[in-house]
């Protein structure tokens, strides 16, 4: 009789503890609920984006629980999250995962305000994607280094928002960062010297901002296999010589009126290569001419 009572209690627990017996780790479930409860009143776009964060979840993607935010599919039962494998790089992800959020993808939702620092509670996140929203303020400085916020982040996409200020120097200490996508904001200042040490970095997509200065010498050490080098529409100065070892698949070098100098060969043959609005690129810089480098013949 005693054993039967214990079994019955376990069954009741499995049926009544939401998230505890599905594909969502119970601790992660509690973190998701806390995130939802804080941001569902943060603005109308947040309210709409979080409207699916309810229970019960679809039975065909929930296991052993009627409230399973993660589910076993590529995307979670609760929109804008995914819980894929935690022990792989994102290009090798598989499902079902380990019950932890790995992708946060609120793109095109229009959510407003400053970036939610509570994202740090989800330590397995590899992708932080809020493109085409209404985020504002400065980019977070709490990523990378010895900080515990998103230690395995591989993609950071805040493109097409209203972010201001510089790209933080701490960006160069996000050890697994592969894709930096910040185009279409109002970013200012110079490029972080520390980013030259990011050996995994394959995407630098920062066009259509107000960034300035020259690329530091540390960028001679960037990953030579660059998927995207998209820097157009900024106020950069100097040359591209520090990218001499890069072989880019795609490049955006338009509307860089303050830059000059010859174009590294590995960039010249990239898809989308165009120097429109960049009259000095492809020609020696004035100081090079003054040093004896002849201009191309007009004949």
């Amino acid at each position: 009789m005693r054993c039967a009572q214990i079994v019955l209690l376990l069954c009741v627990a499995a049926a009544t503890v939401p998230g505890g017996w599905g594909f969502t780790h119970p601790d992660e479930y509690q973190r998701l609920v806390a995130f939802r409860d804080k941001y569902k009143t943060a603005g109308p776009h947040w309210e709409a984006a979080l409207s699916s964060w309810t229970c019960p979840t679809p039975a065909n993607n929930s296991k052993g629980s009627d409230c399973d935010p993660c589910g076993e599919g590529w995307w979670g039962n609760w929109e804008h999250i995914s819980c894929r494998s935690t022990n792989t790089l994102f290009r090798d992800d598989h499902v079902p995962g380990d019950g932890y959020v790995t992708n946060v993808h609120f793109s095109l939702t229009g959510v407003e305000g400053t970036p939610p620092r509570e994202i740090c509670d989800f330590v397995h996140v590899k992708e932080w994607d809020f493109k085409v929203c209404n985020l504002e303020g400065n980019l977070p400085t709490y990523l990378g280094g010895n900080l515990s916020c998103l230690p395995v982040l591989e993609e950071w996409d805040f493109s097409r928002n209203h972010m201001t200020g510089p790209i933080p120097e701490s960006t160069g200490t996000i050890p697994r960062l592969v894709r930096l996508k910040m185009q279409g904001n109002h970013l200012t200042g110079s490029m972080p010297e520390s980013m030259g040490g990011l050996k995994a970095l394959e995407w630098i997509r920062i066009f259509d901002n107000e960034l300035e200065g020259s690329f530091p010498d540390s960028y001679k050490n960037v990953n030579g296999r660059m998927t995207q080098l998209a820097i157009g529409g900024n106020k950069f100065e100097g040359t591209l010589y520090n990218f001499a070892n890069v072989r880019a698949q795609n490049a955006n070098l338009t509307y860089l009126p303050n830059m000059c100098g010859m174009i590294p060969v590995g960039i010249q043959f990239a898809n989308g290569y165009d120097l429109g609005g960049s009259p000095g690129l492809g020609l020696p810089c004035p100081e090079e001419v003054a040093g004896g480098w002849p201009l191309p013949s007009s004949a």
Side-chain angles (χ1 to χ4, degrees):
M1 182 66 180
R2 179 67 174 169
C3 291
Q5 290 176 326
I6 293 174
V7 170
L8 177 61
L9 287 172
L10 288 173
C11 291
V12 170
T16 58
V17 178
W21 301 90
F23 286 100
T24 309
H25 191 281
D27 291 342
E28 200 79 338
Y29 172 80
Q30 296 298 333
R31 286 186 279 266
L32 286 166
V33 169
F35 186 94
R36 178 197 65 189
D37 290 349
K38 176 167 184 176
Y39 285 96
K40 67 183 180 182
T41 58
H45 291 97
W46 273 111
E47 182 181 9
L50 295 170
S51 61
S52 72
W53 289 34
T54 59
C55 297
T57 51
N60 62 352
N61 194 34
S62 305
K63 180 180 180 181
S65 171
D66 62 356
C67 192
D68 185 6
C70 284
E72 61 177 329
W74 197 249
W75 289 104
N77 287 317
W78 287 6
E79 291 183 348
H80 315 302
I81 65 164
S82 181
C83 305
R84 304 169 193 168
S85 50
T86 59
N87 59 348
T88 58
L89 297 176
F90 66 179
R91 64 186 61 179
D92 300 317
D93 281 350
H94 57 79
V95 292
D98 308 307
Y100 296 98
V101 175
T102 57
N103 303 70
V104 178
H105 205 279
F106 280 83
S107 62
L108 303 174
T109 62
V111 294
E112 51 273 272
T114 57
R117 185 160 186 165
E118 288 75 13
I119 196 74
C120 296
D121 295 336
F122 303 96
V123 298
H124 299 283
V125 164
K126 307 174 191 179
E127 178 191 24
W128 190 8
D129 188 337
F130 273 66
K131 65 175 174 283
V132 195
C133 289
N134 288 297
L135 296 184
E136 59 187 6
N138 290 346
L139 292 175
T141 59
Y142 43 76
L143 305 178
N146 295 322
L147 304 176
S148 59
C149 184
L150 307 188
V152 296
L153 185 66
E154 297 181 52
E155 177 169 333
W156 186 9
D157 188 350
F158 278 10
S159 55
R160 305 297 180 194
N161 278 279
H162 310 289
M163 304 305 297
T164 55
I167 297 176
E169 191 68 33
S170 56
T171 304
T173 62
I174 304 174
R176 288 171 54 168
L177 188 64
V178 176
R179 300 173 181 175
L180 179 69
K181 302 176 182 179
M182 296 292 166
Q183 74 271 16
N185 282 284
H186 307 287
L187 301 178
T188 56
S190 56
M191 292 298 291
E193 184 173 356
S194 60
M195 277 181 56
L198 291 176
K199 299 301 184 183
L201 189 64
E202 296 180 10
W203 294 54
I204 301 178
R205 204 160 78 180
I206 53 175
F207 59 89
D208 292 347
N209 279 287
E210 300 170 36
L211 296 163
E212 57 190 13
S214 58
F215 286 91
D217 286 345
S218 62
Y219 284 66
K220 295 176 181 178
N221 301 316
V222 297
N223 189 347
R225 185 185 64 185
M226 191 70 65
T227 302
Q228 288 205 8
L229 180 62
I231 63 173
N234 281 289
K235 300 178 181 179
F236 290 127
E237 301 174 355
T239 72
L240 295 171
Y241 297 161
N242 287 336
F243 292 103
N245 295 323
V246 166
R247 300 294 180 266
Q249 294 181 23
N250 301 273
N252 178 340
L253 305 177
T254 57
Y255 298 101
L256 295 167
N258 301 323
M259 296 195 76
C260 59
M262 309 308 288
I263 310 297
V265 173
I267 298 175
Q268 291 181 27
F269 296 98
N271 292 326
Y273 175 74
D274 184 357
L275 299 180
S278 305
L281 283 175
L283 296 172
C285 295
E287 59 270 24
E288 293 174 324
V289 175
W293 191 338
L295 288 169
S297 172
S298 60

